[in-house]
Amino acid sequence: MGDNDDYYDGDGAMDSLGAAPEVTYNWVDITPDFFKHIQDLQLGELLHDGHLFGLFEAMSAIEMMDPKMDAGMLCNRGSPKPLNFQQAIAAGKLKIDDLEPSELIGIIDATIACIVSWLEGHSLAQTVFTNLYLHQPHLIVNRTLKAYCIAVYKLLDSVRECINKAQVFEEEDFQPMGYGYRLGSNPQSGNMYDASLEVSEQKCISLLREQEEELNKKARSVDDDVSNLWSALAARIRFTRMFYQALLLITKRDSQSGADCVALLNGCSEMMKVIIKTAGKGTQPVENSDSPNPMGFEPMINQRLLPPTFPRYTRIKPRAEALQYFDELVARLRHAWKITSCTNFHTALDFFMEFSRQRACILSRSALQLLYLSPSPATTASLAQGVGSPPHHAFLEILRDSVKSFVNPPALTSKSSLLSTPQAREFVENFLARCVRPFAVLLQVCGHNRARQRDKLALLLDEFAALQEEAESVDAVVSGVAGGGARACFGTWLLYHVLRVMIAYLLSGLELELYSIHEYHYIFWYLYEFLYGWLVSALGRAEGLAGEGARRGDAKRSGARKQKKRTRPYAREGLMCQVMQNMCGGYYKALVAFKLQGKIKQPQSEFDNEAVRYKHRFAPLSVLTPPQVHYHEFCEMTQPLQYENPVILYLGGCKHFQQARTLLETITIPDQEVTDLLKVSKTNFVVLKLLAGGHKRDSSAPPEFDFSVHRHFPIIKLV
Amino acid sequence: MSTSPLLGSIHTDLNKEILDGKAKLRKWLNMNFRIEMTDGRILIGVFLCTDRDANVILGACSEYLKSSEGETEEPRVLGLVMVPGRHIVSIQIDDTTPPQKYYYEE
């Protein structure tokens, strides 16, 4: 977002107030009377104009002198008024020339800490723009610092552009507001924007390059110990330049830039190593001071730009942690770059989900979005929603390839053109065009923070429901034309994705700790009895359909027998589904047994209605195929277990975990996920075996569910 | 000042020493208040509500910093605020405006 003025709403109100005609007051003191009269009020009684103002309105008032609500309070607390750029120079507190290298390193490292604090969701006014040098970068005489400050402006712009384009942030992730700061304008001195002070991307890069060379020259010319400082400074400037360039490439995303971007990010990592090693060389913040560096930072300088109820004072991230953050951020960006080699939609979707699981920061999540689809999945989704004929988008081709490789429908194989009519083809094209939006949104949802994904998945299921109807009719039309019985190609493809979203939705409740322990049994039951089972069969059906398509192709070409060579592409995925299914089964049986033995605390019956809770938990699943399994069905199906011997149930659960473990052990190259699941299933196997043997049979102490090893599948602990 | 009918009525009321202070408080509703807080800030806003502990709610409130050198600084618009009674140093009422109606904005 280049235009910061969009975000200027913060002090718009002040302007209008200033413009209003001068109001004169005639103040009469009523303090003693007021305090006397209020004594006539009863305790708790409110005196107010009942028609216009009530308790409800009173609730939304901000409380003055409350440190959490009153942003204006801190700046008045006795401390002298913060000095602005000019005042600080006049007072001799801000050097703009003849800075020692250690001072420069200190300023740069503190600025990095501020940028990290901003990326963690704080406002620019309370983080980066507490740096006074950034208020008037063009007035700085020291050329290294000037180039750096200008580059910070450009860097902030490109970070903001990247994040805004991807649209995967919420207010808790990121604050895009610029408070009127931009290169060429400064709200502190009331400067209007001066376009002549803008610096182009190329100019900024060459400014940094110049400084890099100069600093390297200085580093070579002086003896060892001091030269360290110059080269440490050079590394910081070099890092800034390469990071800025890499970010520009990611945001612009032209395909030729691939190798460049990787090289730049690798360079960033190298420089960051040097920066971390030399972090101690710069001036360090004074102990117990709010300022991230002794010179150049005024934590309170922007306090009056903030809205009235702004969050309390922002603590800037400590330098060591901030540098660590940047180091990891670069590593995450390098990892995100790998998405560009995911040609298949399924692998890309898996990549998105895996990336999200690592709880990446907002910038790398955004970068991933932009790297996969240009300009971004969010834009793709909103374009697809537009009226009129949707633009023919690259994403539609990605989806077409995805269907083709998943189920290989005759309607999409080029050879079968004789089999399809123009009408059938149009149906297929329309269907794929309709798929663009929900699938782009699915990718976008994967970019959001973990807590926000759940609600967004639920909304997405509604859209998929509409799509499923369309898939059915397309399948009917296409099979009608082709003859030879109905093949639910498109339906299967869609069902597979719907099931994955459903599973992700239910599992996210475990990760976010939304379920009570007494609810676990039907959550795991649903996953065990239905969702994973359906997913396994959807995968099986897809393999069947794809195989059929391949045979069709083979028969046409040479009739050669190639089936034996075909590997099952979803073998591992199918296996993992079975693992999960078994684990869910294990939990379910264990939970029922716990319940029968009175080990799980149940809610007070008069305040509880399991049917209502069940309905609420599975509500988003209600509009789709496969149909939702209702509460009364749940009761009927699970009835027999209520009379089962807990020991039998423990043994059953034990068997499930054993099965999961056996399946996991067949995987030759286990990743972290597999190792974690293996650990969980092994432990739970032992625990259930103990329980079946009568261990702690008479104890009513509730078992604990420990999610520290795996976010969805807990280790059962007996205490 | 003394020509103002409003303040005159306040004074006559006070002279009569009517026991019910509530009625007098009620008369001040929807008028401009200027409250000085213990930290020196001045709040100017419309008096909307109070209670026994002198917690005061002001609508359309602006915050002024007490300037020692006499320079007037831009006010900061706060909107609806509640000032806890224990932080109130003084309360003044504006006598210039005729008792015009202020409506609380939704």
Side-chain angles (χ1 to χ4, degrees), chain A residues 162-164 166-169 250 355 361-371 447:
Chain A
C162 176
I163 294 175
N164 271 326
Q167 285 298 313
V168 292
F169 69 95
I250 288 170
F355 199 85
C361 65
I362 179 65
L363 184 56
S364 53
R365 281 191 272 132
S366 303
L368 178 67
Q369 299 274 319
L370 304 194
L371 286 171

Side-chain angles (χ1 to χ4, degrees), chain A residues 58-261:
Chain A
M59 294 303 292
S60 62
I62 51 170
E63 187 175 334
M64 299 309 288
M65 302 301 287
D66 175 322
K68 285 186 180 166
M69 284 198 250
D70 184 2
M73 180 181 158
L74 285 149
C75 71
N76 303 321
R77 232 180 13 194
S79 65
K81 210 177 155 224
L83 300 175
N84 66 25
F85 184 78
Q86 268 85 7
Q87 292 164 336
I89 293 174
K93 289 192 171 159
L94 198 68
K95 285 205 244 173
I96 51 172
D97 201 4
D98 299 323
L99 284 103
E100 297 295 324
S102 64
E103 289 174 323
L104 290 171
I105 292 175
I107 293 166
I108 291 175
D109 287 0
T111 308
I112 291 178
C114 288
I115 294 175
V116 169
S117 306
W118 175 51
L119 287 175
E120 288 194 325
H122 296 291
S123 79
L124 271 178
Q126 288 181 307
T127 57
V128 187
F129 286 116
T130 62
N131 181 344
L132 291 178
Y133 288 108
L134 291 174
H135 292 200
Q136 300 289 351
H138 288 284
L139 297 185
I140 303 170
V141 181
N142 181 292
R143 290 174 54 207
T144 309
L145 189 57
K146 181 176 176 179
Y148 179 74
C149 286
I150 289 173
V152 168
Y153 265 94
K154 305 300 287 180
L155 188 63
L156 296 184
D157 274 346
S158 60
V159 166
R160 194 155 44 184
E161 193 190 346
C162 176
I163 294 175
N164 271 326
K165 258 188 180 173
Q167 285 298 313
V168 292
F169 69 95
E170 299 283 348
E171 57 175 356
E172 68 271 25
D173 296 307
F174 182 67
Q175 301 288 330
M177 211 186 290
Y179 296 95
Y181 280 103
R182 62 192 294 191
L183 209 49
S185 87
N186 169 14
Q188 282 303 330
S189 51
N191 282 0
M192 294 313 281
Y193 173 60
D194 180 355
S196 68
L197 296 176
E198 270 290 352
V199 171
S200 73
E201 289 164 7
Q202 284 320 310
K203 171 85 177 150
C204 171
I205 291 166
S206 70
L207 276 175
L208 288 171
R209 252 211 192 99
E210 248 169 58
Q211 287 310 308
E212 232 176 282
E213 278 163 26
E214 213 157 290
L215 290 169
N216 279 328
K217 224 179 278 169
K218 275 186 191 159
R220 266 170 298 191
S221 66
V222 279
D223 54 27
D224 261 4
D225 195 35
V226 193
S227 100
N228 242 339
L229 283 187
W230 290 117
S231 56
L233 195 51
R236 281 162 174 78
I237 298 295
R238 192 172 158 80
F239 174 83
T240 309
R241 174 183 58 86
M242 291 196 292
F243 189 75
Y244 174 54
Q245 281 182 296
L247 210 53
L248 283 181
L249 289 178
I250 288 170
T251 317
K252 303 257 152 61
R253 180 81 185 100
D254 47 54
S255 45
Q256 303 93 1
S257 59
D260 288 352
C261 190

